[in-house]
Amino acid sequence: MTVDFVFPANPVVSVDIAHSEQRFPVNRIFCVGRNYLAHAIEMGSTVDKSNMEPFYFLKDNSALVASGTSIAYPPKTSNYHYEMELVVAIGSAGFNVAENAADDIVFGYACGLDMTRRDLQQKGKDGGKPWDLGKNFEQSAVISSIVPKSEVGIVTEGAIELRVNGETKQSSDVNMMIWNVREVIAHLSQFYHLQPGDLIYTGTPEGVGPVVPGDKIEGSIEKLGSIELAIQ
Ligand code: MN
């Protein structure tokens, strides 16, 4: 039976899967804040894992953009930043997942850009207000093809890099995360029933910075390929 919607419903948002005709349908987009110490410090804070827990913000799945796209400089910002991140794609449901079972619910991994209106995020922080205007806006979640775990294995380390116009801006290793992928899944799944189709942007290393119209961003994660974005 077809549903008689009052206007056309949005299509299912999906992401390309490497070496596959199938696509990955996207449910929610979770993002981890401050998950590399050197980035936390460059943002003017610090993280002590012994007495702190990870924290999160979310982006709408309608904010997703495929790698290789050219997008407009967003409105209401004059400090638009890149953040290169490992993205974990969840392939099966999980609630209160144990760390040693976390890899089981992972479908695969991708390169991601958590594009950020840093000035609006800072305004939110300063006023004790939400981060949504700085983080959850149109075309703010860029993603490459998802590489299935069946192809690449469990990703726990590997170089993560980002270049703007060919100049290296971020260079780290995903093993520098404060809370690794297993710990993030175990923690996040205490608060949410993780579902197939959920994406987790796992945080960015140090070296974030602004881009302007005409810039070309290119990032890569060892074994997961690359991601590209052009700013108009
Ligand atoms: Mn981020």
Side-chain angles (χ1 to χ4, degrees), residues 42-84:
E42 77 179 350
M43 289 288 101
S45 59
T46 190
V47 179
D48 180 353
K49 195 177 176 180
S50 69
N51 61 21
M52 293 169 84
E53 291 181 31
F55 70 94
Y56 312 93
F57 55 92
L58 282 89
K59 296 197 186 209
D60 293 327
N61 62 19
S62 61
L64 271 179
V65 176
S67 170
T69 307
S70 177
I71 68 173
Y73 193 90
K76 301 295 279 182
T77 184
S78 53
N79 197 18
Y80 177 47
H81 276 210
Y82 53 79
E83 294 190 357
M84 179 68 198

Side-chain angles (χ1 to χ4, degrees), residues 32 57 83 85 114 135 203-204:
V32 184
F57 55 92
E83 294 190 357
E85 311 201 356
D114 165 17
K135 286 293 193 180
T204 195

Side-chain angles (χ1 to χ4, degrees), residues 31-35 39 57 59 82-85 113-116 118 121 131 135 201-205 208:
C31 304
V32 184
R34 294 179 204 144
N35 203 16
H39 171 64
F57 55 92
K59 296 197 186 209
Y82 53 79
E83 294 190 357
M84 179 68 198
E85 311 201 356
L113 294 170
D114 165 17
M115 299 305 292
T116 301
R118 191 72 72 200
Q121 182 198 21
W131 289 12
K135 286 293 193 180
Y201 281 62
T202 57
T204 195
V208 301

Side-chain angles (χ1 to χ4, degrees), residues 24-25 27-28 30 88-97 101-108 149 185 189 192-200:
F24 182 91
N27 189 34
R28 294 169 293 188
F30 297 100
V88 177
I90 299 297
S92 52
F95 182 61
N96 285 330
V97 179
D103 293 329
D104 298 344
I105 71 164
V106 172
F107 173 82
K149 181 182 69 177
I185 288 172
S189 70
Y192 296 92
H193 294 74
L194 294 180
Q195 297 295 322
D198 287 340
L199 298 176
I200 306 173

